[in-house]
Amino acid sequence: MPRVFAQGRPVDSYPRLAPEARRGAVRRITETGEEVLHRPCRDVTEFGPDLAALIDDMFLTMYTADGAGLAANQVGVGLRLFVYDCPDDDGVRHVGHIVNPVRDRLAPAERRLLDEGEGCLSVPGAVMAVPRPDLAVVRGVDKDGAPLAIEGTGYFARCLDHETDHCDGHVYLDRLSARDRRAALRQAADRRSEVLARRVANVKALKR
């Protein structure tokens, strides 16, 4: 079994950071309550250097925040797009981006819900149990407009589902009960400063 999949394809080796990150700049991560996170994103219709540069920035921003995925609206851009660098439950690493992602609807026999801990870079410091399917298939295109289909299981399925939610204008808090949502926001209030300080330290470390 290959240990790394890049853009859904097995590769023999891969660097610690996606090459896009080396070309990127760090952007501010939006936080829950900001309008751009709570409305559906627009489809990408223009492909070219601006889109490629956005993807580069998103990869570097994700790494500095210790994330496994990042959607464009999390850097304030309301476009339907996300990047990811995420392991599955077998330890296989999945790295890539997908533009205009749409989830496949899974038949009940194909899905099993896992109620496991989940966080979000836009809710810094909070982790809550969220039920998600243990299988996800997301279809879209790459930055050049070529068709893509990405399939994930376990934790990677959770990542694909979570990031596609962002593109639809939802944060994971929307999947929680009112009580759990309040608990998540209290966690974020308590830990936000620590998390943001760690991100600043990561930026400095990655520049070395």
Side-chain angles (χ1 to χ4, degrees), residues 55-163:
I55 290 170
D56 294 346
D57 291 355
M58 289 170 62
F59 266 108
L60 182 58
T61 303
M62 176 182 70
Y63 288 132
T64 60
D66 297 319
L70 186 75
N73 59 357
Q74 292 183 277
V75 292
V77 179
L79 292 176
R80 199 169 182 85
L81 158 71
F82 67 82
V83 301
Y84 59 88
D85 189 340
C86 182
D88 62 25
D89 287 357
D90 295 319
V92 177
R93 181 183 178 194
H94 299 266
V95 189
H97 70 273
I98 188 162
V99 178
N100 298 336
V102 177
R103 272 176 292 224
D104 278 7
R105 291 184 177 274
L106 302 177
E110 296 180 287
R111 51 183 278 155
R112 180 171 63 101
L113 288 180
L114 298 178
D115 198 16
E116 296 181 348
E118 184 170 327
C120 178
L121 301 184
S122 293
V123 192
V127 177
M128 299 295 293
V130 182
R132 299 267 189 191
D134 67 346
L135 171 67
V137 180
V138 178
R139 300 180 191 274
V141 298
D142 68 12
K143 63 183 177 182
D144 300 312
L148 272 179
I150 305 297
E151 179 175 322
T153 58
Y155 184 66
F156 182 45
R158 179 173 294 273
C159 174
L160 292 175
D161 209 47
H162 178 113
E163 300 306 333

Side-chain angles (χ1 to χ4, degrees), residues 30-61:
T30 54
E31 296 187 28
T32 185
E34 296 185 46
E35 184 180 356
V36 70
L37 288 173
H38 302 284
R39 61 172 185 249
C41 295
R42 307 184 309 278
D43 280 350
V44 173
T45 57
E46 295 184 13
F47 295 80
D50 288 347
L51 178 63
L54 173 60
I55 290 170
D56 294 346
D57 291 355
M58 289 170 62
F59 266 108
L60 182 58
T61 303

Side-chain angles (χ1 to χ4, degrees), residues 149-183:
I150 305 297
E151 179 175 322
T153 58
Y155 184 66
F156 182 45
R158 179 173 294 273
C159 174
L160 292 175
D161 209 47
H162 178 113
E163 300 306 333
T164 306
D165 267 0
H166 274 303
C167 294
D168 292 336
H170 302 297
V171 295
Y172 86 102
L173 300 178
D174 298 334
R175 292 181 174 267
L176 301 178
S177 68
R179 178 180 179 180
D180 285 348
R181 179 185 172 89
R182 289 193 297 270

Side-chain angles (χ1 to χ4, degrees), residues 179-192:
R179 178 180 179 180
D180 285 348
R181 179 185 172 89
R182 289 193 297 270
L185 292 173
R186 284 195 298 271
Q187 284 185 28
D190 290 342
R191 301 172 184 171
R192 179 177 180 274

